[in-house]
mmCIF file of all heavy atoms in Angstrom:
data_model
loop_
_atom_site.group_PDB
_atom_site.id
_atom_site.type_symbol
_atom_site.label_atom_id
_atom_site.label_comp_id
_atom_site.label_asym_id
_atom_site.label_seq_id
_atom_site.Cartn_x
_atom_site.Cartn_y
_atom_site.Cartn_z
ATOM 1 N N SER A 1 0.841 -1.190 0.000
ATOM 2 C CA SER A 1 0.000 0.000 0.000
ATOM 3 C C SER A 1 0.874 1.237 0.000
ATOM 4 O O SER A 1 1.955 1.255 0.587
ATOM 5 C CB SER A 1 -0.916 0.001 1.230
ATOM 6 O OG SER A 1 -1.587 1.232 1.364
ATOM 7 N N ARG A 2 0.377 2.292 -0.630
ATOM 8 C CA ARG A 2 1.097 3.569 -0.612
ATOM 9 C C ARG A 2 1.117 4.165 0.791
ATOM 10 O O ARG A 2 1.966 5.000 1.100
ATOM 11 C CB ARG A 2 0.431 4.553 -1.566
ATOM 12 C CG ARG A 2 0.556 4.173 -3.034
ATOM 13 C CD ARG A 2 -0.052 5.246 -3.925
ATOM 14 N NE ARG A 2 0.624 6.516 -3.751
ATOM 15 C CZ ARG A 2 0.230 7.650 -4.322
ATOM 16 N NH1 ARG A 2 -0.860 7.661 -5.084
ATOM 17 N NH2 ARG A 2 0.895 8.766 -4.134
ATOM 18 N N ALA A 3 0.166 3.761 1.624
ATOM 19 C CA ALA A 3 0.141 4.270 2.990
ATOM 20 C C ALA A 3 1.367 3.833 3.781
ATOM 21 O O ALA A 3 1.793 4.519 4.706
ATOM 22 C CB ALA A 3 -1.137 3.812 3.700
ATOM 23 N N SER A 4 1.928 2.674 3.415
ATOM 24 C CA SER A 4 3.109 2.167 4.107
ATOM 25 C C SER A 4 3.975 1.413 3.110
ATOM 26 O O SER A 4 3.831 0.186 2.963
ATOM 27 C CB SER A 4 2.692 1.261 5.272
ATOM 28 O OG SER A 4 3.818 0.826 6.001
ATOM 29 N N PRO A 5 4.871 2.106 2.411
ATOM 30 C CA PRO A 5 5.665 1.468 1.355
ATOM 31 C C PRO A 5 6.560 0.344 1.838
ATOM 32 O O PRO A 5 6.973 -0.493 1.041
ATOM 33 C CB PRO A 5 6.500 2.634 0.802
ATOM 34 C CG PRO A 5 5.756 3.872 1.180
ATOM 35 C CD PRO A 5 5.110 3.558 2.486
ATOM 36 N N ASN A 6 6.871 0.290 3.129
ATOM 37 C CA ASN A 6 7.735 -0.774 3.632
ATOM 38 C C ASN A 6 7.019 -2.118 3.756
ATOM 39 O O ASN A 6 7.664 -3.155 3.863
ATOM 40 C CB ASN A 6 8.306 -0.384 4.999
ATOM 41 C CG ASN A 6 9.345 0.715 4.875
ATOM 42 O OD1 ASN A 6 9.929 0.895 3.819
ATOM 43 N ND2 ASN A 6 9.548 1.445 5.946
ATOM 44 N N LYS A 7 5.701 -2.105 3.781
ATOM 45 C CA LYS A 7 4.943 -3.344 3.926
ATOM 46 C C LYS A 7 4.733 -3.987 2.558
ATOM 47 O O LYS A 7 4.527 -3.302 1.554
ATOM 48 C CB LYS A 7 3.601 -3.071 4.602
ATOM 49 C CG LYS A 7 3.755 -2.619 6.056
ATOM 50 C CD LYS A 7 2.412 -2.363 6.692
ATOM 51 C CE LYS A 7 2.582 -2.016 8.164
ATOM 52 N NZ LYS A 7 3.383 -0.805 8.386
ATOM 53 N N THR A 8 4.768 -5.313 2.549
ATOM 54 C CA THR A 8 4.680 -6.034 1.283
ATOM 55 C C THR A 8 3.534 -7.036 1.309
ATOM 56 O O THR A 8 3.055 -7.444 2.377
ATOM 57 C CB THR A 8 5.991 -6.790 0.995
ATOM 58 O OG1 THR A 8 6.190 -7.780 2.021
ATOM 59 C CG2 THR A 8 7.171 -5.833 0.962
ATOM 60 N N LEU A 9 3.115 -7.425 0.122
ATOM 61 C CA LEU A 9 2.059 -8.422 -0.003
ATOM 62 C C LEU A 9 2.514 -9.768 0.552
ATOM 63 O O LEU A 9 1.736 -10.496 1.172
ATOM 64 C CB LEU A 9 1.662 -8.557 -1.479
ATOM 65 C CG LEU A 9 0.536 -9.539 -1.802
ATOM 66 C CD1 LEU A 9 -0.749 -9.146 -1.088
ATOM 67 C CD2 LEU A 9 0.321 -9.620 -3.314
ATOM 68 N N GLU A 10 3.785 -10.107 0.332
ATOM 69 C CA GLU A 10 4.313 -11.369 0.853
ATOM 70 C C GLU A 10 4.267 -11.392 2.386
ATOM 71 O O GLU A 10 3.929 -12.410 2.999
ATOM 72 C CB GLU A 10 5.738 -11.581 0.376
ATOM 73 C CG GLU A 10 5.866 -11.839 -1.120
ATOM 74 C CD GLU A 10 5.820 -10.564 -1.956
ATOM 75 O OE1 GLU A 10 5.749 -9.460 -1.360
ATOM 76 O OE2 GLU A 10 5.847 -10.664 -3.197
ATOM 77 N N GLY A 11 4.600 -10.250 2.998
ATOM 78 C CA GLY A 11 4.523 -10.168 4.451
ATOM 79 C C GLY A 11 3.100 -10.304 4.952
ATOM 80 O O GLY A 11 2.841 -10.959 5.974
ATOM 81 N N LEU A 12 2.142 -9.691 4.235
ATOM 82 C CA LEU A 12 0.739 -9.794 4.622
ATOM 83 C C LEU A 12 0.252 -11.240 4.568
ATOM 84 O O LEU A 12 -0.359 -11.743 5.519
ATOM 85 C CB LEU A 12 -0.111 -8.920 3.700
ATOM 86 C CG LEU A 12 -1.624 -9.027 3.871
ATOM 87 C CD1 LEU A 12 -2.046 -8.454 5.216
ATOM 88 C CD2 LEU A 12 -2.349 -8.325 2.725
ATOM 89 N N LEU A 13 0.543 -11.936 3.465
ATOM 90 C CA LEU A 13 0.093 -13.315 3.317
ATOM 91 C C LEU A 13 0.781 -14.233 4.327
ATOM 92 O O LEU A 13 0.151 -15.112 4.928
ATOM 93 C CB LEU A 13 0.354 -13.801 1.894
ATOM 94 C CG LEU A 13 -0.437 -13.073 0.793
ATOM 95 C CD1 LEU A 13 -0.031 -13.578 -0.584
ATOM 96 C CD2 LEU A 13 -1.932 -13.235 1.015
ATOM 97 N N GLY A 14 2.081 -14.028 4.519
ATOM 98 C CA GLY A 14 2.799 -14.847 5.496
ATOM 99 C C GLY A 14 2.275 -14.636 6.901
ATOM 100 O O GLY A 14 2.103 -15.595 7.665
ATOM 101 N N GLY A 15 1.993 -13.384 7.253
ATOM 102 C CA GLY A 15 1.448 -13.103 8.574
ATOM 103 C C GLY A 15 0.079 -13.725 8.779
ATOM 104 O O GLY A 15 -0.236 -14.235 9.860
ATOM 105 N N ALA A 16 -0.741 -13.699 7.723
ATOM 106 C CA ALA A 16 -2.076 -14.295 7.817
ATOM 107 C C ALA A 16 -1.989 -15.808 8.030
ATOM 108 O O ALA A 16 -2.721 -16.383 8.845
ATOM 109 C CB ALA A 16 -2.882 -13.972 6.566
ATOM 110 N N ILE A 17 -1.084 -16.453 7.300
ATOM 111 C CA ILE A 17 -0.943 -17.904 7.436
ATOM 112 C C ILE A 17 -0.474 -18.279 8.840
ATOM 113 O O ILE A 17 -1.013 -19.204 9.467
ATOM 114 C CB ILE A 17 0.037 -18.442 6.373
ATOM 115 C CG1 ILE A 17 -0.562 -18.267 4.976
ATOM 116 C CG2 ILE A 17 0.385 -19.901 6.642
ATOM 117 C CD1 ILE A 17 0.400 -18.599 3.852
ATOM 118 N N VAL A 18 0.499 -17.557 9.354
ATOM 119 C CA VAL A 18 1.000 -17.853 10.703
ATOM 120 C C VAL A 18 -0.082 -17.591 11.743
ATOM 121 O O VAL A 18 -0.239 -18.357 12.712
ATOM 122 C CB VAL A 18 2.260 -17.019 10.990
ATOM 123 C CG1 VAL A 18 2.674 -17.158 12.455
ATOM 124 C CG2 VAL A 18 3.399 -17.434 10.073
ATOM 125 N N THR A 19 -0.858 -16.531 11.565
ATOM 126 C CA THR A 19 -1.921 -16.217 12.531
ATOM 127 C C THR A 19 -2.968 -17.326 12.577
ATOM 128 O O THR A 19 -3.397 -17.757 13.656
ATOM 129 C CB THR A 19 -2.590 -14.881 12.158
ATOM 130 O OG1 THR A 19 -1.597 -13.848 12.087
ATOM 131 C CG2 THR A 19 -3.628 -14.490 13.186
ATOM 132 N N VAL A 20 -3.382 -17.801 11.412
ATOM 133 C CA VAL A 20 -4.350 -18.897 11.368
ATOM 134 C C VAL A 20 -3.743 -20.158 11.976
ATOM 135 O O VAL A 20 -4.438 -20.925 12.678
ATOM 136 C CB VAL A 20 -4.824 -19.141 9.925
ATOM 137 C CG1 VAL A 20 -5.699 -20.390 9.844
ATOM 138 C CG2 VAL A 20 -5.584 -17.929 9.411
ATOM 139 N N ALA A 21 -2.458 -20.380 11.732
ATOM 140 C CA ALA A 21 -1.799 -21.550 12.320
ATOM 141 C C ALA A 21 -1.812 -21.474 13.842
ATOM 142 O O ALA A 21 -2.036 -22.487 14.525
ATOM 143 C CB ALA A 21 -0.368 -21.659 11.795
ATOM 144 N N VAL A 22 -1.593 -20.282 14.385
ATOM 145 C CA VAL A 22 -1.659 -20.122 15.846
ATOM 146 C C VAL A 22 -3.074 -20.394 16.340
ATOM 147 O O VAL A 22 -3.275 -21.020 17.391
ATOM 148 C CB VAL A 22 -1.196 -18.712 16.249
ATOM 149 C CG1 VAL A 22 -1.440 -18.467 17.733
ATOM 150 C CG2 VAL A 22 0.283 -18.525 15.920
ATOM 151 N N GLY A 23 -4.073 -19.947 15.573
ATOM 152 C CA GLY A 23 -5.454 -20.237 15.949
ATOM 153 C C GLY A 23 -5.751 -21.726 15.945
ATOM 154 O O GLY A 23 -6.483 -22.224 16.816
ATOM 155 N N VAL A 24 -5.211 -22.458 14.979
ATOM 156 C CA VAL A 24 -5.386 -23.916 14.939
ATOM 157 C C VAL A 24 -4.769 -24.558 16.170
ATOM 158 O O VAL A 24 -5.369 -25.450 16.802
ATOM 159 C CB VAL A 24 -4.771 -24.489 13.647
ATOM 160 C CG1 VAL A 24 -4.736 -26.013 13.694
ATOM 161 C CG2 VAL A 24 -5.553 -24.005 12.425
ATOM 162 N N VAL A 25 -3.574 -24.109 16.535
ATOM 163 C CA VAL A 25 -2.914 -24.658 17.723
ATOM 164 C C VAL A 25 -3.737 -24.360 18.970
ATOM 165 O O VAL A 25 -3.911 -25.220 19.856
ATOM 166 C CB VAL A 25 -1.489 -24.087 17.849
ATOM 167 C CG1 VAL A 25 -0.855 -24.522 19.183
ATOM 168 C CG2 VAL A 25 -0.631 -24.520 16.676
ATOM 169 N N MET A 26 -4.275 -23.159 19.071
ATOM 170 C CA MET A 26 -5.122 -22.815 20.215
ATOM 171 C C MET A 26 -6.327 -23.752 20.302
ATOM 172 O O MET A 26 -6.715 -24.212 21.383
ATOM 173 C CB MET A 26 -5.581 -21.357 20.099
ATOM 174 C CG MET A 26 -4.475 -20.341 20.340
ATOM 175 S SD MET A 26 -4.940 -18.634 19.905
ATOM 176 C CE MET A 26 -6.478 -18.464 20.779
ATOM 177 N N GLY A 27 -6.940 -24.012 19.140
ATOM 178 C CA GLY A 27 -8.089 -24.912 19.129
ATOM 179 C C GLY A 27 -7.724 -26.323 19.517
ATOM 180 O O GLY A 27 -8.496 -27.023 20.193
ATOM 181 N N LEU A 28 -6.545 -26.788 19.108
ATOM 182 C CA LEU A 28 -6.121 -28.159 19.419
ATOM 183 C C LEU A 28 -5.788 -28.342 20.891
ATOM 184 O O LEU A 28 -6.115 -29.375 21.487
ATOM 185 C CB LEU A 28 -4.916 -28.537 18.551
ATOM 186 C CG LEU A 28 -5.197 -28.681 17.042
ATOM 187 C CD1 LEU A 28 -3.900 -28.940 16.289
ATOM 188 C CD2 LEU A 28 -6.200 -29.822 16.788
ATOM 189 N N VAL A 29 -5.143 -27.356 21.483
ATOM 190 C CA VAL A 29 -4.741 -27.498 22.884
ATOM 191 C C VAL A 29 -5.840 -27.053 23.841
ATOM 192 O O VAL A 29 -5.746 -27.266 25.052
ATOM 193 C CB VAL A 29 -3.453 -26.698 23.169
ATOM 194 C CG1 VAL A 29 -2.318 -27.199 22.304
ATOM 195 C CG2 VAL A 29 -3.680 -25.202 22.974
ATOM 196 N N GLY A 30 -6.895 -26.393 23.314
ATOM 197 C CA GLY A 30 -8.007 -25.974 24.159
ATOM 198 C C GLY A 30 -7.703 -24.819 25.073
ATOM 199 O O GLY A 30 -8.272 -24.702 26.155
ATOM 200 N N MET A 31 -6.822 -23.941 24.663
ATOM 201 C CA MET A 31 -6.457 -22.759 25.443
ATOM 202 C C MET A 31 -6.269 -21.573 24.498
ATOM 203 O O MET A 31 -5.861 -21.752 23.355
ATOM 204 C CB MET A 31 -5.157 -22.994 26.224
ATOM 205 C CG MET A 31 -5.264 -24.061 27.313
ATOM 206 S SD MET A 31 -3.688 -24.292 28.175
ATOM 207 C CE MET A 31 -3.430 -22.665 28.859
ATOM 208 N N PRO A 32 -6.532 -20.379 24.948
ATOM 209 C CA PRO A 32 -7.098 -20.017 26.255
ATOM 210 C C PRO A 32 -8.626 -20.036 26.234
ATOM 211 O O PRO A 32 -9.243 -19.970 25.178
ATOM 212 C CB PRO A 32 -6.586 -18.592 26.458
ATOM 213 C CG PRO A 32 -6.523 -18.038 25.073
ATOM 214 C CD PRO A 32 -6.119 -19.183 24.183
ATOM 215 N N ALA A 33 -9.221 -20.157 27.394
ATOM 216 C CA ALA A 33 -10.677 -20.086 27.521
ATOM 217 C C ALA A 33 -11.092 -18.605 27.414
ATOM 218 O O ALA A 33 -10.311 -17.715 27.766
ATOM 219 C CB ALA A 33 -11.100 -20.663 28.869
ATOM 220 N N PRO A 34 -12.274 -18.304 26.921
ATOM 221 C CA PRO A 34 -13.340 -19.233 26.539
ATOM 222 C C PRO A 34 -13.338 -19.583 25.053
ATOM 223 O O PRO A 34 -14.215 -20.290 24.592
ATOM 224 C CB PRO A 34 -14.593 -18.411 26.875
ATOM 225 C CG PRO A 34 -14.201 -17.008 26.551
ATOM 226 C CD PRO A 34 -12.743 -16.898 26.922
ATOM 227 N N ILE A 35 -12.343 -19.069 24.316
ATOM 228 C CA ILE A 35 -12.330 -19.295 22.870
ATOM 229 C C ILE A 35 -12.121 -20.768 22.543
ATOM 230 O O ILE A 35 -12.725 -21.299 21.605
ATOM 231 C CB ILE A 35 -11.227 -18.434 22.221
ATOM 232 C CG1 ILE A 35 -11.658 -16.966 22.196
ATOM 233 C CG2 ILE A 35 -10.901 -18.910 20.814
ATOM 234 C CD1 ILE A 35 -12.853 -16.684 21.312
ATOM 235 N N ALA A 36 -11.264 -21.452 23.271
ATOM 236 C CA ALA A 36 -10.799 -22.770 22.817
ATOM 237 C C ALA A 36 -11.055 -23.898 23.798
ATOM 238 O O ALA A 36 -10.381 -24.921 23.738
ATOM 239 C CB ALA A 36 -9.300 -22.687 22.523
ATOM 240 N N ASP A 37 -12.029 -23.762 24.712
ATOM 241 C CA ASP A 37 -12.194 -24.824 25.699
ATOM 242 C C ASP A 37 -13.601 -25.406 25.756
ATOM 243 O O ASP A 37 -13.915 -26.181 26.655
ATOM 244 C CB ASP A 37 -11.831 -24.309 27.097
ATOM 245 C CG ASP A 37 -12.833 -23.270 27.592
ATOM 246 O OD1 ASP A 37 -13.534 -22.679 26.735
ATOM 247 O OD2 ASP A 37 -12.923 -23.060 28.809
ATOM 248 N N GLY A 38 -14.459 -25.075 24.792
ATOM 249 C CA GLY A 38 -15.817 -25.594 24.816
ATOM 250 C C GLY A 38 -16.126 -26.386 23.561
ATOM 251 O O GLY A 38 -15.273 -26.555 22.671
ATOM 252 N N PRO A 39 -17.375 -26.917 23.463
ATOM 253 C CA PRO A 39 -17.770 -27.654 22.261
ATOM 254 C C PRO A 39 -17.673 -26.776 21.015
ATOM 255 O O PRO A 39 -18.118 -25.635 21.002
ATOM 256 C CB PRO A 39 -19.234 -28.025 22.568
ATOM 257 C CG PRO A 39 -19.344 -27.985 24.052
ATOM 258 C CD PRO A 39 -18.415 -26.901 24.491
ATOM 259 N N GLY A 40 -17.079 -27.325 19.988
ATOM 260 C CA GLY A 40 -16.900 -26.562 18.756
ATOM 261 C C GLY A 40 -15.887 -25.456 18.848
ATOM 262 O O GLY A 40 -15.803 -24.596 17.967
#
């Protein structure tokens, strides 16, 4: 974006993938509550 020339599309996509991966790990380990410790 012109708003921040130092940021790149590759960084955005990589950050999104890692963030979702952290969410998957949270869901698998069931922490922290209340996001990851109940049914579904």
Side-chain angles (χ1 to χ4, degrees):
S1 171
R2 292 184 61 186
S4 184
N6 288 337
K7 293 180 176 61
T8 63
L9 181 60
E10 292 81 3
L12 174 68
L13 295 176
I17 293 172
V18 172
T19 304
V20 173
V22 172
V24 171
V25 173
M26 289 169 51
L28 292 175
V29 300
M31 294 179 61
I35 286 294
D37 68 339

